Amino acid sequence: MVPLLNEENTIFSYINDLINELNQIDQTINPNILLLDDASDDDTLRNLHILQNSLHHLRTKVYILERHFPNAQQGKGASLNFGLDFISKLPTTLDKQHTIIGIIDADGFISAKDINDIIGTFENNQVSMVQSAVAMNRRDYNWLSKMQDTEFLGANSFMQESRNRLGQAIASGNGQFLTLQMAQDVRWGNSLLEDFEFTVRGLFKQHRAIFLPSAIVYQEAVTSLRPLLRQRIRWCEGSMQCFVKYTKKIIQSKVINPGVKIDLSLFLILPFFSMLLNIANICSIIVQLDNIFTRKSIPVLIVFGIVVCATLLVWLMMAIEYHQNTQGLSLFTCILRAWQCILYNFILSFIPYAAFAFLLMGRNSWAKTSHGT
């Protein structure tokens, strides 16, 4: 399923490439692609039909679904549920455990080899969902694209592989693959962080997810600061929504193991904790600067040096993960990029304040990130 909203700039490139990859997957797999237009007001729908007419006699079946107001543009989750209802009615000889739904964004690309590997992961593991890694398709476009590539293939992959050891990965929007059985049991909610919400709802019904780091979905980086901040505010507000809706249920659940409970709870608490941490850090810096200039500076500088070294060491671990997951970059380059992520994360560290303000004001509209601009 590919949810689409005003994607006229990406249709002919990304969708055509994705269909070409689907045509090359293992012959034992019957590929279909469902293109979900969510009442676009540009030429997305017209371009979809042009694309469909040019793809006759190909192996992959192409379906186009149109959503209309007043039901359209109510968030990605609502669009995916609309597509799920269509899939559930398709004639098939396969059972719900052997019908796999992949969620790829309009700017996403995944190779036939990685799709085959994902299907193999379902065959070799008792799981209902497989989450791929995510990378940027033009990682060297500018500084922000480099940081996002390092963030996703470094820090995010490190955390997801750690979650594998706990027994439960988290869906990460682009590149999530799940059984039709899980999709029907769980369905998507209306949170601004619909992928995390879907994971939690699945856990309550004992659906397990695994992260596959070797399979990668490539997507567009957000190359300007303002749209990046909008995207991350949406994600952060979605996390806060999930905190309100699910934290108590997660803690009280009898089907979620303690390690996963701790991980999910920390994930949901993090935006609120970071708000307090920023204030504490600013106050600490002011006090320590005063200590340096008015009192004995050596102890303060020693403590400051220890903190800096510890921070660099943590991001050195992320750099090693990034180097293992990427190609064409030396370990030295990966380390430099990882250490630059300290500044990148500092810039993003003030996002929770805006997200919390939006949450209090009830501003929870799903403003999507533009692609191909």
Side-chain angles (χ1 to χ4, degrees):
M1 284 200 290
V2 183
L4 301 158
L5 174 59
N6 295 335
E7 305 286 3
E8 63 179 2
N9 296 312
T10 64
I11 293 301
F12 293 116
S13 55
Y14 288 107
I15 303 302
N16 190 60
D17 289 344
L18 187 57
I19 292 173
N20 286 338
E21 293 299 316
L22 287 171
N23 289 329
Q24 299 175 49
I25 61 177
D26 191 275
Q27 292 297 317
T28 61
I29 304 170
N30 301 318
N32 302 269
I33 185 166
L34 180 58
L35 305 172
L36 295 159
D37 180 66
D38 202 17
S40 298
D41 56 18
D42 63 359
D43 284 333
T44 296
L45 189 58
R46 183 178 71 87
N47 290 347
L48 282 178
H49 287 295
I50 293 173
L51 184 63
Q52 186 182 42
N53 292 333
S54 67
L55 296 174
H56 289 307
H57 310 300
L58 292 181
R59 179 183 168 199
T60 300
K61 293 181 180 178
V62 180
Y63 300 95
I64 297 174
L65 288 190
E66 303 175 32
R67 302 196 71 209
H68 301 284
F69 291 110
N71 298 318
Q73 297 188 15
Q74 295 182 350
K76 186 177 178 180
S79 182
L80 293 175
N81 284 330
F82 185 75
L84 173 62
D85 292 337
F86 176 83
I87 292 172
S88 299
K89 297 174 184 177
L90 288 175
T92 180
T93 58
L94 299 175
D95 61 47
K96 295 178 181 179
Q97 286 297 114
H98 290 83
T99 301
I100 306 300
I101 300 173
I103 314 299
I104 303 293
D105 288 346
D107 64 333
F109 171 82
I110 185 169
S111 70
K113 177 186 178 301
D114 286 350
I115 296 174
N116 287 333
D117 289 346
I118 288 170
I119 300 301
T121 303
F122 280 104
E123 294 173 340
N124 297 319
N125 298 270
Q126 295 296 319
V127 294
S128 299
M129 179 163 63
V130 176
Q131 174 63 53
S132 75
V134 177
M136 303 301 116
N137 62 10
R138 291 189 300 163
R139 67 184 179 200
D140 296 324
Y141 180 80
N142 63 12
W143 186 74
L144 286 177
S145 64
K146 293 175 183 177
M147 293 302 97
Q148 287 165 74
D149 195 62
T150 310
E151 173 188 23
F152 280 94
L153 282 183
N156 286 11
S157 289
F158 181 87
M159 290 187 289
Q160 288 281 46
E161 291 190 60
S162 299
R163 291 183 177 118
N164 275 350
R165 296 183 178 90
L166 294 175
Q168 177 65 32
I170 292 177
S172 299
N174 218 350
Q176 56 183 284
F177 291 77
L178 53 138
T179 64
L180 177 59
Q181 183 67 64
M182 180 181 183
Q184 291 178 337
D185 287 350
V186 179
R187 299 182 66 84
W188 284 270
N190 59 3
S191 163
L192 294 177
L193 201 64
E194 85 293 328
D195 45 7
F196 178 84
E197 182 179 31
F198 185 85
T199 303
V200 172
R201 288 158 62 124
L203 272 172
F204 292 147
K205 296 181 180 291
Q206 301 186 58
H207 288 286
R208 180 174 166 244
I210 192 172
F211 174 67
L212 185 62
S214 60
I216 300 177
V217 168
Y218 293 88
Q219 67 181 33
E220 282 189 4
V222 183
T223 56
S224 299
L225 184 59
R226 181 173 292 182
L228 177 65
L229 294 176
R230 282 200 301 265
Q231 179 195 67
R232 298 311 171 91
I233 289 171
R234 170 164 55 87
W235 291 358
C236 188
E237 185 181 358
S239 178
M240 292 176 172
Q241 290 173 337
C242 289
F243 173 85
V244 174
K245 293 171 67 174
Y246 297 111
T247 302
K248 183 178 179 180
K249 294 180 181 178
I250 290 170
I251 294 172
Q252 295 178 342
S253 173
K254 296 180 180 180
V255 298
I256 302 177
N257 75 54
V260 174
K261 283 185 180 182
I262 293 171
D263 175 61
L264 295 178
S265 299
L266 289 175
F267 179 85
L268 293 174
I269 292 170
L270 184 60
F272 301 98
F273 177 76
S274 65
M275 293 170 66
L276 298 176
L277 186 63
N278 282 340
I279 295 173
N281 285 338
I282 292 172
C283 293
S284 177
I285 290 172
I286 293 172
V287 171
Q288 298 310 322
L289 286 175
D290 178 67
N291 288 337
I292 290 174
F293 292 108
T294 62
R295 303 176 185 179
K296 294 182 178 180
S297 60
I298 299 300
V300 175
L301 292 175
I302 291 174
V303 172
F304 179 75
I306 292 173
V307 171
V308 170
C309 290
T311 303
L312 293 177
L313 181 60
V314 169
W315 281 98
L316 177 61
M317 296 170 58
M318 302 302 111
I320 294 172
E321 176 76 19
Y322 182 47
H323 183 251
Q324 292 174 343
N325 294 332
T326 192
Q327 296 179 349
L329 294 178
S330 67
L331 177 59
F332 179 73
T333 300
C334 291
I335 292 172
L336 287 180
R337 291 191 180 185
W339 284 348
Q340 290 176 63
C341 275
I342 299 171
L343 174 60
Y344 171 74
N345 278 277
F346 174 76
I347 294 170
L348 299 182
S349 67
F350 297 93
I351 281 173
Y353 300 106
F356 187 61
F358 286 175
L359 184 70
L360 293 178
M361 293 186 294
R363 290 181 55 180
N364 56 5
S365 59
W366 198 83
K368 67 176 290 295
T369 303
S370 298
H371 301 140
T373 55

